[in-house]
Amino acid sequence: MASNTKKKVFGSEDALAMVEELRAAFDCGKTRGCEWRISQLKALIKLSEEHEKEIVQALHSDLSKSETEAFVQEIAMLKNSSKVALKELKHWIYPEKVKTSLATFPSSAEIVSEPLGVVLVISAWNYPFLLSLDPVIGAIAAGNAVVLKPSEIAPATSSLMAKLLGDYMDNSCIRVVEGAVDETSALLEQKWDKIFYTGNGRVARVVMAAAAKHLTPVVLELGGKSPVVVDSNINLKVATRRIIAGKWGCNNGQACISPDYVITTKEYAPKLVDALKTELEKFYGKNPLESEDLSRIVNSNHFNRLKKLLDDDKVSGKIVHGGKTDESKLKISPTLLLDVPRDSLIMSEEIFGPLLPILTVDKLEESFVVINSGPKPLAAYIFTNNKKLKELFVRNISAGGVVVNDTTLHLAVHTLPFGGVGESGVGAYHGKFSFDAFSHKKAVLYRSFIGDASVRYPPYTSTKQRLLKALIGGGILGVIRALFGWS
């Protein structure tokens, strides 16, 4: 006999009770100890190693990711982040000694990193394992209690993570809440000490508005239209392979740092298109819809959104390669579009899929105007051997990150901050930047009872005033001059 029992909905009262439990655990100091942080980071590595097969299967179920892409771009990167945190943790948590000024002499000072408290991580569907747990690494390393809300659009990975974190992690301090809009809304009603959100700008505005009610700081990892500028004085084969790897090799373009569009000169565009066609066929075959190395579009809504971009009257005649679709399998082949109008729909929003428009200009320097006329992107790429052009690009293009002669690889460098600017995001993480994102930098000044100068106390005289001005100015010569009454 079938059961009519419905699963209990996670609501505001449940969210409040959970936050109170986590705050009680945090307040008792459980997460502050280095031993606890190390144990939880090791647990993340252990669950990744012991359940690699299940993670790969979940990612394939949600996105048809190949085993290689799932391992390299999600599991391995997550393990590396955990290992970096384990290796560096004792250095990160150690107080940073800083210089003091003459005005506070004698004194010493340091910056102490302390955990914020109870934090919320809301993750994305396109890299559902990595983008869920990578911020959690920073939250744990910094000594916080944390709630993870995975994306419901990747249900297999969400369910698996809920199970694994329940089995491997300290559930008195680390929780997973599955669900969709209602559950996320219930979580956002609560007071957090930080909210970390990965996703799109529309939802980010909702998150930021909810955070503002409690003056909660946020990290927003968003996206944007990441450009690729291609010069003519390059190794074209290497450049095209790296563009392909960053576009279609990253979840079939469903990545926040994937190349969104290319800019090159009118003269060079035909060579670039031919090179891209050649390498795409080598990578994915004559019928890429059958390739097991290309992820599918995540769901029918996103498939229809991308199909709408392709069917736009301004764009449909600009396809020079690909454009094939299979709605039953939610597959779209790698597609190149040449000279699409800048006012077309495909150029007005982040594509987040396997479509790559190529814009042409007379001189490559004109690409700077094109890029800077829109919102600041999460990433910007340039392929050139021209030293002056490289310097101009780095200096004049404002983006979350810039890569010269490759795409997307800055994501793997833990000594670089990863984050956006303007509409592409707020704040950054990776490596120590993740630790810093979930820490408060507390200023501490130490003084003894010796060296108590009467100059700081009333009644104030002209001599005291001269001395105070000299002390605030910080120059020993000024203090000597003030003592002797020299102007």
Side-chain angles (χ1 to χ4, degrees), residues 41 81-82 84-85 89 92 116 119 121 130 133-144 194 196 219 221 411 413-418 427-441:
L41 292 170
S81 290
S82 299
V84 167
L89 184 59
W92 293 348
L116 293 170
V119 302
V121 174
L130 176 67
L133 296 180
D134 209 2
V136 170
I137 290 170
I140 291 171
N144 298 279
K194 192 149 201 178
F196 190 110
V219 173
E221 292 295 337
L411 181 76
V413 183
H414 71 82
T415 51
L416 289 174
F418 180 78
Y429 71 126
H430 286 186
K432 188 174 185 296
F433 301 99
S434 292
F435 175 86
D436 291 342
F438 289 100
S439 299
H440 166 59
K441 300 300 179 181

Side-chain angles (χ1 to χ4, degrees), residues 239-451:
T240 52
R241 291 165 74 91
R242 290 176 178 179
I243 292 169
I244 291 168
K247 179 69 171 179
W248 298 280
C250 287
N251 200 26
N252 205 6
Q254 297 170 111
C256 56
I257 54 172
S258 281
D260 192 272
Y261 64 100
V262 172
I263 305 176
T264 192
T265 61
K266 288 182 172 67
E267 182 182 0
Y268 198 65
K271 291 181 181 178
L272 176 60
V273 170
D274 288 343
L276 284 166
K277 287 180 181 178
T278 299
E279 297 303 319
L280 280 168
E281 188 170 316
K282 285 181 185 177
F283 290 178
Y284 303 115
K286 292 185 180 295
N287 187 3
L289 293 180
E290 300 298 324
S291 173
E292 294 184 359
D293 293 319
L294 276 175
S295 301
R296 66 170 168 81
I297 308 306
V298 65
N299 58 29
S300 57
N301 288 337
H302 282 275
F303 180 91
N304 292 330
R305 177 185 62 80
L306 290 164
K307 190 77 167 54
K308 183 180 178 182
L309 297 181
L310 272 181
D311 292 342
D312 181 3
D313 291 340
K314 294 180 179 180
V315 165
S316 57
K318 303 294 184 178
I319 298 172
V320 292
H321 180 75
K324 295 179 180 178
T325 64
D326 185 338
E327 189 171 1
S328 65
K329 295 180 179 178
L330 296 178
K331 289 264 188 149
I332 298 177
S333 65
T335 301
L336 303 174
L337 306 102
L338 183 60
D339 281 326
V340 300
R342 293 180 196 173
D343 62 349
S344 58
L345 189 59
I346 202 169
M347 288 305 299
S348 65
E349 61 181 59
E350 184 179 9
I351 295 169
F352 222 70
L355 319 179
L356 186 64
I358 300 171
L359 309 183
T360 60
V361 290
D362 293 320
K363 294 182 179 180
L364 214 54
E365 287 77 8
E366 296 172 28
S367 64
F368 294 8
V369 177
V370 175
I371 297 168
N372 288 331
S373 66
K376 296 177 180 181
L378 181 59
Y381 309 112
I382 185 168
F383 288 85
T384 182
N385 284 314
N386 185 318
K387 183 180 178 182
K388 183 179 178 182
L389 189 62
K390 290 179 193 177
E391 292 173 350
L392 286 171
F393 190 82
V394 171
R395 189 185 312 134
N396 293 304
I397 299 300
S398 181
V402 170
V403 181
V404 178
N405 292 333
D406 213 320
T407 64
T408 70
L409 283 187
H410 61 304
L411 181 76
V413 183
H414 71 82
T415 51
L416 289 174
F418 180 78
V421 58
E423 291 188 28
S424 60
V426 176
Y429 71 126
H430 286 186
K432 188 174 185 296
F433 301 99
S434 292
F435 175 86
D436 291 342
F438 289 100
S439 299
H440 166 59
K441 300 300 179 181
K442 182 165 62 180
V444 182
L445 180 70
Y446 297 96
R447 298 202 74 209
S448 70
F449 289 100
I450 62 173

